[in-house]
Amino acid sequence: MADVKIEHLVKNYQPGVARDVLRDINLDIKEGDFVVFVGPSGCGKSTLLRAIAGLDDITSGDLFIGGRRMNEVPPVERGVGMVFQSYALYPHMTVRENLAFGLKIKKVDKQTARERVAQASAMLGLDPFLERKPKDLSGGQRQRVAIGRALVQHPAVFLLDEPLSNLDAALRVKTRIELARMHEERGSTTIYVTHDQVEAMTLATRIAVLSPLAEGAATNLEQFGPPLDLYHEPANRFVAGFIGSPKMNFLGGMIEAPDARRTRIKLDTGVSITAGVDTSRAHPGDQVEVGVRPEHTVLLDDPRADNRITGTVLVAEHLGAETFIYLDVGGKDFTVKVRPETPGTARSQFDIGVPTDACYLFDAQGQAFPRTERFTRT
Amino acid sequence: MAMVQAKSIIYRKLAAHAFLWAWLALIIFPLLMVIAISFRTGNFAVGDIIPSHPTLDHWRLALGMSIVDESGRTIPPPFPVLLWLWNSIKVASVSAVLIVALSTTCAYAFARLRFGGRSLLLKAMLVFQMFPAVLALVAYYALFSRISDYFPPLGLNTHPGLIFAYLGGIALHVWTIKGYFETIDKSLEESATLDGASPWQAFRLILLPLSVPILAVVFILAFITAITEYPVASILLQDESKLTLAVGSQYYLNPQEYKWGDFAAAAVLSGFPITLVFLLAQRWLVGGLTAGGVKG
């Protein structure tokens, strides 16, 4: 086990020609952390993982694993085990040979190797398949072989590159829980890459949100913190839009009067609302965007319905346990989560209440204003 | 289960079969003719497809046995055909093995390593390969005669020299194998690297075992090319005892007398090693070796 420290890491495949893939990444991953790199495709999350593994070199900046600077250290000496998105099982070897390959290469003595393979195989339930070739296994079994192959190495840091993306929905949930349990038991430092924010929220002790590097941006690490911090206090509009499902709704507006506790905002639709945010650094008339999570909206009969937003119903989805209504508010999509029995007739008008403490506010650059209140659903 | 098909498709299928049989007959006919000639009395190119007076004389001569002609004279075999055949097999096998070794490592470099001038080299190889070897015959002769001055074992009139010359023709094989390597997921080798394998180990233990089918194809192609090659071998080899069968069998066809019968027997003989290599290599020509390694 080891901690991983990344300082001012920059990755560029063709320095001077192409744009940076990663810029000024700083991460301090503690021993036993389960860190998830999440972001849309093209944000460099896999590249960052490969840089940690040593499969890609680092253009500038430093990488430390267990306190040792690893920039020029070959992959095998970094003490990392990796599960590839494609699994990358050796097709011509049996499951047992796949598991034992690394130990054989490293000339680990036969007895120890046998024990470690047996241990991993028992833990992952692979015993019945040890003599089979990968092609005779199901997707989930291959997945487990890939995990087992990393496990037998007793890595200090466990790296997983979108390990669930090739599994069907049911198996994905099952494996997700198994991974969480495995981390609970072994407590090994784990770095996990995914584009699925649900996986990130459920598995991570801390999440690093990455975005595709924008022109002139200082870094593409948007925020690094515990899942609920990212949910409640997103640093910017990108993180706010990425974390949470369904996505946060955004409406354009203008600050009427800056305030350190509660700010009046005039929306583009003409309605004014009150948001529980500290806007003391802003000026009257500043363009802003108000964010509201679908699950933080309430019906008008709720005492917390401080603000009222009106839209036209596009579609209503009745899922039994909950109902989502998709609205058109002044030309923008606005999703609300309401009580299951709420009717929603297409093309009809629909009023929804937005509590003051449910509002997020972002300036023209997308940076969040600090929230002074936190909405809790009772 | 068989799909239900319209009547017209059945007729079209029959027509396709008839066409294929006719095509097959057209291709096999010359081979049958050569076999017929090798069993026919006398040394004539034209005659019946099924010999009216079959004889084994041509085959006896080819296999190194004397024959007795109608006037009672004993005719010894004029040329060491079996020795030529052995020379051919030797040259073809060794050059095929070396070509596979060279083009595999070369293809690995082109497929997986990044180095300056990579794509230029690849294209240049292909372009140079497009000039027929015949154009370079004079250069071959000059080069190998110079090599003879300094290092005779690799010079003119030696089998190693000839093999050395054949090793020049690997560009197409490099392209073939490179194309195959590129279909193998790179993450397999990356995974091996993380497991502690050196690049050579990743190549030998992971990539090579998965590439056996394409290596078999290249081996067969290289073997056939070497065993049937005439121009370069005819320039580089001079002693009768050193000739390959492709070159030597031409001796039957001198301007004074075209011994078609003897030539045909030698020609059929040269087909045997190719057939044998193909049959042996066939078991390696299997698909699906990489199945199950990646994706779900």
Side-chain angles (χ1 to χ4, degrees):
Chain A
M1 264 189 280
D3 61 330
V4 178
K5 196 173 279 183
I6 296 167
E7 288 175 355
H8 306 294
L9 182 141
V10 175
K11 173 67 193 177
N12 192 324
Y13 285 101
Q14 294 165 284
V17 183
R19 206 193 288 181
D20 292 347
V21 179
L22 296 165
R23 188 180 291 168
D24 197 24
I25 305 292
N26 291 285
L27 290 172
D28 191 353
I29 297 168
K30 305 246 177 334
E31 201 170 302
D33 247 355
F34 195 123
V35 170
V36 174
F37 295 165
V38 67
S41 50
C43 69
K45 54 191 189 294
S46 285
T47 306
L48 184 53
L49 192 77
R50 291 170 59 85
I52 295 172
L55 296 172
D56 274 332
D57 60 353
I58 293 167
T59 310
S60 70
D62 291 309
L63 165 73
F64 299 90
I65 298 176
R68 181 177 166 205
R69 188 172 176 276
M70 291 290 182
N71 288 34
E72 281 85 31
V73 176
V76 61
E77 288 169 34
R78 296 189 182 198
V80 297
M82 181 156 167
V83 176
F84 289 82
Q85 179 175 12
S86 64
Y87 309 154
L89 303 182
Y90 311 129
H92 55 299
M93 299 184 192
T94 63
V95 170
R96 185 193 298 281
E97 288 164 337
N98 261 286
L99 293 176
F101 181 77
L103 302 173
K104 207 169 101 188
I105 291 279
K106 286 183 190 140
K107 303 209 163 58
V108 172
D109 85 284
K110 287 220 172 81
Q111 183 59 33
T112 320
R114 247 197 309 273
E115 278 166 17
R116 286 212 213 163
V117 169
Q119 194 189 354
S121 145
M123 176 170 172
L124 295 162
L126 288 171
D127 287 338
F129 315 114
L130 279 177
E131 304 311 325
R132 289 202 202 165
K133 294 261 178 80
K135 68 168 185 285
D136 301 319
L137 300 178
S138 71
Q141 290 159 352
R142 287 179 199 175
Q143 217 314 317
R144 278 183 276 156
V145 177
I147 294 174
R149 205 174 51 184
L151 274 183
V152 293
Q153 306 273 356
H154 289 184
V157 181
F158 203 50
L159 308 174
L160 301 114
D161 188 2
E162 306 218 18
L164 307 185
S165 60
N166 287 324
L167 302 179
D168 63 54
L171 205 53
R172 204 175 300 169
V173 174
K174 189 166 164 265
T175 314
R176 200 172 76 201
I177 295 166
E178 270 176 35
L179 281 175
R181 206 202 62 212
M182 215 169 80
H183 179 254
E184 199 67 38
E185 280 173 16
R186 300 174 49 87
S188 43
T189 312
T190 305
I191 303 176
Y192 184 109
V193 165
T194 180
H195 60 265
D196 181 353
Q197 61 93 21
V198 177
E199 277 172 33
M201 294 296 284
T202 49
L203 285 170
T205 55
R206 284 196 292 168
I207 297 178
V209 180
L210 296 159
S211 66
L213 192 67
E215 197 79 57
T219 176
N220 52 338
L221 175 62
E222 298 290 348
Q223 196 170 358
F224 180 47
L228 288 182
D229 284 7
L230 267 59
Y231 179 83
H232 290 296
E233 311 291 344
N236 51 48
R237 192 188 180 286
F238 182 85
V239 176
F242 200 82
I243 299 291
S245 175
K247 281 188 187 315
M248 185 185 279
N249 303 299
F250 294 100
L251 294 171
M254 189 185 81
I255 291 184
E256 285 182 352
D259 190 281
R261 226 176 65 74
R262 290 198 160 186
T263 310
R264 289 292 290 173
I265 297 142
K266 191 172 165 71
L267 296 180
D268 292 346
T269 56
V271 185
S272 284
I273 63 165
T274 308
V277 287
D278 170 8
T279 52
S280 42
R281 66 178 162 93
H283 307 285
D286 279 0
Q287 286 296 316
V288 288
E289 265 190 302
V290 176
V292 181
R293 293 198 183 278
E295 60 271 30
H296 290 174
T297 56
V298 293
L299 293 174
L300 289 184
D301 56 14
D302 192 296
R304 294 170 299 176
D306 308 320
N307 305 299
R308 177 199 288 213
I309 286 174
T310 306
T312 315
V313 177
L314 298 170
V315 180
E317 284 180 351
H318 300 281
L319 302 178
E322 57 207 17
T323 289
F324 291 105
I325 297 181
Y326 296 90
L327 303 172
D328 175 19
V329 176
K332 294 215 169 160
D333 289 334
F334 198 95
T335 311
V336 298
K337 182 180 164 190
V338 289
R339 283 199 296 268
E341 66 276 15
T342 314
T345 319
R347 287 185 299 280
S348 68
Q349 209 181 47
F350 194 91
D351 291 323
I352 191 78
V354 178
T356 304
D357 54 8
C359 293
Y360 297 72
L361 196 67
F362 306 96
D363 65 17
Q365 284 73 46
Q367 293 305 308
F369 288 101
R371 300 176 73 202
T372 54
E373 302 159 55
R374 190 180 275 192
F375 176 83
T376 43
R377 187 171 273 268
T378 45
Chain B
M1 221 182 289
M3 214 195 317
V4 180
Q5 288 172 331
K7 262 269 164 26
S8 64
I9 292 191
I10 298 176
Y11 290 135
R12 261 187 274 172
K13 258 203 221 157
L14 285 175
H17 273 264
F19 173 77
L20 287 176
W21 278 110
W23 192 253
L24 208 58
L26 203 64
I27 290 168
I28 292 178
F29 189 66
L31 178 65
L32 291 178
M33 285 225 330
V34 175
I35 294 174
I37 295 169
S38 75
F39 286 108
R40 208 186 286 150
T41 315
N43 278 302
F44 306 106
V46 288
D48 309 323
I49 244 311
I50 296 163
S52 41
H53 305 287
T55 169
L56 288 176
D57 284 358
H58 304 310
W59 280 94
R60 285 215 183 85
L61 288 179
L63 296 175
M65 291 178 264
S66 302
I67 57 164
V68 181
D69 71 0
E70 56 268 37
S71 55
R73 280 183 306 157
T74 304
I75 301 174
F79 306 116
V81 175
L82 281 183
L83 179 65
W84 289 344
L85 182 65
W86 170 238
N87 288 344
S88 284
I89 294 175
K90 209 164 59 181
V91 169
S93 315
V94 174
S95 60
V97 167
L98 291 179
I99 281 174
V100 167
L102 269 182
S103 46
T104 311
T105 41
C106 209
Y108 177 77
F110 280 119
R112 291 292 199 251
L113 309 179
R114 296 278 163 267
F115 50 90
R118 179 174 158 276
S119 75
L120 185 74
L121 265 175
L122 263 174
K123 282 180 199 136
M125 280 193 341
L126 204 60
V127 170
F128 285 129
Q129 190 89 348
M130 284 169 187
F131 294 96
V134 183
L135 294 182
L137 280 184
V138 111
Y140 272 119
Y141 187 83
L143 277 172
F144 279 91
S145 113
R146 180 58 65 91
I147 293 175
S148 296
D149 294 343
Y150 295 98
F151 190 60
L154 204 63
L156 281 178
N157 203 17
T158 63
H159 290 153
L162 182 62
I163 292 167
F164 189 44
Y166 286 164
L167 293 188
I170 62 167
L172 282 179
H173 300 315
V174 171
W175 272 87
T176 312
I177 301 177
K178 173 184 159 282
Y180 189 87
F181 280 170
E182 280 167 355
T183 66
I184 295 176
D185 195 328
K186 234 179 139 176
S187 61
L188 287 179
E189 290 144 81
E190 288 176 344
S191 175
T193 309
L194 280 169
D195 275 345
S198 63
W200 170 250
Q201 281 173 319
F203 171 67
R204 192 173 60 85
L205 299 174
I206 307 297
L207 202 58
L208 268 195
L210 298 176
S211 310
V212 167
I214 200 71
L215 301 188
V217 168
V218 166
F219 182 86
I220 293 173
L221 288 179
F223 187 86
I224 294 177
T225 312
I227 213 162
T228 56
E229 204 279 340
Y230 177 79
V232 175
S234 73
I235 290 294
L236 293 186
L237 301 177
Q238 289 142 356
D239 294 355
E240 195 182 273
S241 64
K242 292 265 175 66
L243 297 184
T244 60
L245 190 55
V247 178
S249 54
Q250 310 288 325
Y251 279 25
Y252 284 118
L253 308 175
N254 59 59
Q256 286 79 28
E257 194 184 16
Y258 273 49
K259 296 204 164 184
W260 283 118
D262 299 344
F263 177 79
V268 173
L269 208 55
S270 74
F272 283 126
I274 298 180
T275 315
L276 194 70
V277 162
F278 189 79
L279 289 178
L280 285 177
Q282 210 171 24
R283 53 186 295 237
W284 303 109
L285 295 175
V286 285
L289 269 190
T290 53
V294 295
K295 288 263 173 63

